[in-house]
Amino acid sequence: MADETRRLIVQRGDDLVQTVAIDRPVLTIGRTPENGLSLPDTLVSRHHAELRLEPEGLTLTDLHSSNGTFVGGARLPPNQPRLLTNGAHIQIGPFLLSYQVGEADDGADGVSATDMVAVEAPAIQPVQMMQPVQALARTLTHLPRPTLPAPVASGPASMYIESLPVIYADNDFLARFLLLFQNVWEPLEQRQDHIDMYFDPRTSPASFLPWLASWLDLSFNQHWPEIRRRRLLAEAIDLYRWRGTRYGLVRMIEVCTGITPEVTENTAQPYTFDVKIALPKDGDIDKNLIDELIQAHKPAHAGYRLEVL
């Protein structure tokens, strides 16, 4: 009698990506190739979710992902395991995962979770996503960080007068005179209270971004918009981990341009690869920028051929 198997049917839109046999106690799901199930897409977090075989069955846990994990259209609370039933539909970014339990099918195109790193989805395809994911995708478009002026003391008296002995409380001149010091010291104290925001690429003032980039030996093109600089800084550490790999090159171009390229190995010529990318006609992204990114992040020994569509 055939053994009962657990498997995931992974789809992107109407296309079948792969069938994954769940043959390990823990299967991690995320964007990077180090995960047991790699789903390469910008809407998928680096470590997005986790499948775990428990005595009562298979559980799914969202690992506090940016865009959420949906089961049956409902978003899972972070870090709270959900027991999956046969036929459950899981949505992670543009990918739909169908959980199936049943007898093994000798003709099925199964892929062991142990070998999942080598299996990759198509580079980019239009998909129909569930409404919650569409709403979350719109939040990925950020406006430049606003610059707010330092708070200015207002009113007839400084709040510093309240810290003095009560004998000075009715001194009108001293209360107005202390406004000078309040206007000097309060902005400095506010800056110290929120100093961590100056070291976060998402909240740092725009003028601080080149300085933060120098910590990581990053250089910005002077024509890059602020959003692109912040996005690159936020993911720089992870990108350095994958530098010189196919994933690292694809992700670097995605972060800097918002466009997913197709990178394939050139089998006709050793140590070379082909890059295909569709660039918008009315944008600030051109072939020179893509060339610059490839030159900086490709393997040193490899050549490439760039095709702009």
Side-chain angles (χ1 to χ4, degrees):
M1 182 176 180
D3 294 331
E4 187 177 69
T5 61
R6 303 175 188 270
R7 56 189 178 275
L8 288 175
I9 310 299
V10 184
Q11 292 178 285
R12 183 167 181 161
D14 296 329
D15 298 313
L16 175 64
V17 177
Q18 55 204 352
T19 300
V20 185
I22 303 174
D23 56 0
R24 58 170 66 177
V26 179
L27 177 65
T28 58
I29 304 174
R31 187 178 66 235
T32 57
E34 65 191 350
N35 291 279
L37 174 55
S38 177
L39 302 177
D41 191 272
T42 55
L43 294 180
V44 181
S45 298
R46 290 191 293 269
H47 302 287
H48 197 105
E50 178 184 88
L51 288 168
R52 187 178 292 269
L53 279 173
E54 304 287 357
E56 62 272 16
L58 186 69
T59 61
L60 172 66
T61 305
D62 179 83
L63 301 179
H64 215 289
S65 61
S66 299
N67 295 313
T69 303
F70 298 84
V71 176
R75 184 169 184 170
L76 296 183
N79 302 316
Q80 296 187 24
R82 169 74 65 86
L83 183 65
L84 297 178
T85 58
N86 186 19
H89 295 292
I90 307 163
Q91 179 135 17
I92 297 179
F95 297 93
L96 181 64
L97 288 65
S98 300
Y99 174 53
Q100 296 183 3
V101 181
E103 292 185 353
D105 184 0
D106 294 336
D109 185 16
V111 179
S112 169
T114 307
D115 302 325
M116 279 307 303
V117 174
V119 181
E120 296 180 289
I124 182 169
Q125 299 174 12
V127 296
Q128 296 295 326
M129 295 187 294
M130 294 181 182
Q131 186 61 31
V133 177
Q134 288 178 327
L136 287 165
R138 287 196 293 270
T139 65
L140 297 178
T141 303
H142 302 288
L143 296 175
R145 177 188 182 277
T147 300
L148 304 178
V152 178
S154 60
S158 170
M159 65 178 184
Y160 288 177
I161 198 72
E162 300 174 2
S163 302
L164 297 179
V166 69
I167 191 174
Y168 298 105
D170 296 329
N171 191 319
D172 181 65
F173 171 77
L174 181 60
R176 289 184 286 112
F177 180 70
L178 289 177
L179 283 173
L180 298 174
F181 299 93
Q182 183 177 337
N183 279 322
V184 171
W185 288 108
E186 284 304 304
L188 297 178
E189 290 185 5
Q190 185 185 48
R191 181 182 301 174
Q192 292 174 344
D193 291 341
H194 300 89
I195 193 65
D196 57 305
M197 299 180 70
Y198 285 80
F199 299 98
D200 190 326
R202 298 168 298 177
T203 55
S204 173
S207 59
F208 270 54
L209 296 179
W211 177 64
L212 290 178
S214 68
W215 290 17
L216 304 174
D217 195 27
L218 285 176
S219 59
F220 291 143
N221 187 304
Q222 60 179 346
H223 302 296
W224 281 12
E226 179 182 332
I227 296 300
R228 190 180 301 167
R229 300 183 184 194
R230 293 187 185 278
R231 190 185 302 123
L232 178 58
L233 269 175
E235 297 206 31
I237 297 298
D238 188 61
L239 288 171
Y240 275 145
R241 292 177 57 217
W242 297 100
R243 191 171 187 177
T245 67
R246 178 188 180 277
Y247 170 80
L249 179 59
V250 171
R251 186 60 187 151
M252 175 61 73
I253 295 176
E254 283 179 342
V255 169
C256 294
T257 67
I259 304 171
T260 303
E262 180 182 349
V263 179
T264 56
E265 183 180 357
N266 189 330
T267 56
Q269 188 174 358
Y271 304 111
T272 60
F273 59 92
D274 297 326
V275 180
K276 294 182 180 180
I277 187 168
L279 299 182
K281 296 180 180 179
D282 53 349
D284 62 341
I285 302 170
D286 56 16
K287 184 177 180 180
N288 292 333
L289 172 60
I290 306 301
D291 264 322
E292 178 184 334
L293 293 173
I294 296 175
Q295 289 281 357
H297 299 281
K298 71 176 182 66
H301 67 282
Y304 69 95
R305 182 178 62 182
L306 175 60
E307 181 181 354
V308 176
L309 305 177

